[in-house]
C-alpha cells in the first residue's frame, strides 16, 4: 500500500477552522467578489490564472455552448424533472449524461482530431496551412471530420466566425484554430460540397489553443451546458412543456410486432 505519511497533496481547496484557501489564495478575501466564475473555472483546470484575453475567449466558449433549445439533453432534463421533481440533481445529471459524440462531445473530438494532425514545425502561412488541411482531408478518405457540418446551420454557424474573431483580437488564434480554418477553406473542392465549420468544433479548437488539457475539454462543454439546463428547468417551472412532450409520444405510439420487420431482432 502507498505511504501517505506526508498527506495527500493538492493545490486546490483546503480548510482550517479559521480559513478557506483555494489555489493558494484566501477564498473569502482574495477570490469572492474579485474573480469571475469563468476565470476561476479556467484557473482551477489550468492551475494558473488566465490573462484577461484568455478569460474572454474561455467565457465566449462557455456562452457558445450553454444552450441550444430543445436538444435531447434539454428534453431529457425536463422529462426527468417531470418524473422526479424532488431531484433537481437527477434532472441535471440526466441531461449531462447525454453529452456525447453527437451533442457536446464534438468539442473534445474536434480538438483531439486537430491536435493529432499538427506537425512540427507548424506551417508558416495560410498557404502552408491549406496544404496541410488538404493532406488531412485526403488521409481521412471520406470519413467524418469532427467539427465540419451542422444539421441546421447549413450556410454557416454564426458562433464560428465570432469566436475566431475574438481569439484573433486577443492574440490567441493558435494552431488548432488555424488548421480548423484551413479545413473550412479547402474542403469544398476536395469533398465536392460546402459544409459549415460548426461552433462546437470552433470551441474545441479555441480551448486547445488556450492550452487546456484535451482530456478535460468535454468537461468544459458540460460546465457550459449545466447553466443552460438550469435555465431549461427554470423555464419548465413557469412554462412547462415536459408533460406535453411525454403525452405526444404516449398517445401517439403505434403497436408493431416484437423485434424487427420480420418479427424478431435476429
Amino acid at each position: 500500500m502507498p505511504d501517505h505519511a506526508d498527506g495527500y497533496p493538492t493545490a486546490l481547496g483546503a480548510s482550517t477552522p479559521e480559513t478557506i484557501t483555494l489555489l493558494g489564495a484566501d477564498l473569502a478575501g482574495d477570490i469572492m467578489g474579485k474573480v469571475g466564475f469563468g476565470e476561476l473555472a479556467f484557473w482551477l483546470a489550468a492551475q494558473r490564472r488566465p490573462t484577461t484575453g484568455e478569460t474572454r475567449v474561455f467565457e465566449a466558449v462557455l456562452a457558445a455552448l450553454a444552450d441550444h433549445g430543445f436538444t435531447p439533453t434539454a428534453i431529457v432534463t425536463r422529462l426527468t424533472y417531470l418524473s422526479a421533481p424532488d431531484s433537481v440533481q437527477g434532472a441535471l445529471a440526466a441531461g449531462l449524461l447525454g453529452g456525447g459524440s453527437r451533442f457536446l462531445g464534438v468539442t473534445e473530438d474536434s480538438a483531439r482530431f486537430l491536435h493529432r494532425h499538427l506537425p512540427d514545425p507548424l506551417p508558416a502561412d495560410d498557404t502552408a496551412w491549406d496544404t496541410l488541411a488538404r493532406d488531412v482531408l485526403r488521409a481521412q478518405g471520406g470519413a467524418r471530420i469532427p467539427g465540419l457540418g451542422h444539421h441546421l446551420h447549413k450556410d454557416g454557424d454564426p458562433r464560428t466566425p465570432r469566436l475566431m474573431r475574438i481569439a484573433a483580437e486577443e492574440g490567441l488564434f493558435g494552431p488548432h484554430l488555424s488548421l480548423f480554418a484551413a479545413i473550412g477553406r479547402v474542403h469544398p473542392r476536395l469533398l465536392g460540397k460546402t459544409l459549415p465549420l460548426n461552433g462546437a468544433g470552433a470551441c474545441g479548437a479555441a480551448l486547445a489553443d488556450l492550452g487546456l488539457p484535451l482530456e478535460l475539454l468535454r468537461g468544459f462543454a458540460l460546465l457550459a451546458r449545466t447553466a443552460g439546463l438550469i435555465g431549461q428547468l427554470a423555464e419548465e417551472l413557469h412554462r412547462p412543456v415536459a408533460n406535453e412532450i411525454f403525452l405526444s409520444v404516449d398517445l401517439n405510439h403505434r403497436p408493431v410486432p416484437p423485434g424487427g420487420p420480420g418479427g424478431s431482432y435476429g
Side-chain angles (χ1 to χ4, degrees), residues 4-227:
H4 296 298
D6 294 329
Y8 299 89
T10 178
L12 302 178
S15 301
T16 71
E18 295 81 23
T19 64
I20 302 174
T21 59
L22 182 60
L23 298 160
D26 180 76
L27 176 64
D30 299 328
I31 294 180
M32 293 172 62
K34 298 180 180 179
V35 178
F37 181 70
E39 180 182 358
L40 181 60
F42 186 109
W43 194 353
L44 286 165
Q47 297 282 285
R48 65 175 181 83
R49 191 165 185 174
T51 65
T52 301
E54 288 173 329
T55 300
R56 184 181 180 218
V57 172
F58 183 69
E59 292 187 343
V61 167
L62 296 182
L65 298 174
D67 184 73
H68 295 164
F70 287 123
T71 60
T73 58
I75 292 170
V76 74
T77 289
R78 290 197 186 219
L79 289 174
T80 303
Y81 186 73
L82 172 68
S83 180
D86 52 315
S87 181
V88 171
Q89 71 273 24
L92 293 173
L96 296 178
L97 287 171
S101 59
R102 293 186 178 179
F103 290 87
L104 293 177
V106 176
T107 299
E108 178 185 324
D109 296 343
S110 298
R112 286 182 177 274
F113 175 83
L114 296 167
H115 191 77
R116 188 167 64 248
H117 289 95
L118 290 179
D120 185 15
L122 295 171
D125 53 33
D126 282 352
T127 299
W129 279 113
D130 287 357
T131 298
L132 173 62
R134 281 190 285 270
D135 291 342
V136 168
L137 290 172
R138 291 190 184 105
Q140 283 296 102
R144 184 179 71 89
I145 308 295
L148 187 60
H150 196 280
H151 72 284
L152 177 63
H153 302 299
K154 302 296 186 182
D155 296 323
D157 189 324
R159 298 170 297 171
T160 299
R162 177 58 176 156
L163 184 56
M164 288 184 169
R165 197 156 52 244
I166 291 171
E169 290 169 359
E170 299 299 337
L172 294 169
F173 198 103
H176 299 85
L177 279 171
S178 295
L179 178 54
F180 194 56
I183 289 172
R185 291 192 296 268
V186 307
H187 81 270
R189 179 168 294 183
L190 288 176
L191 301 185
K193 56 185 175 181
T194 299
L195 299 170
L197 294 174
N198 63 54
C203 287
L207 290 173
D209 279 344
L210 290 176
L212 294 165
L214 297 178
E215 299 84 356
L216 298 182
L217 297 194
R218 189 173 301 189
F220 297 120
L222 295 174
L223 172 66
R225 188 53 56 90
T226 299

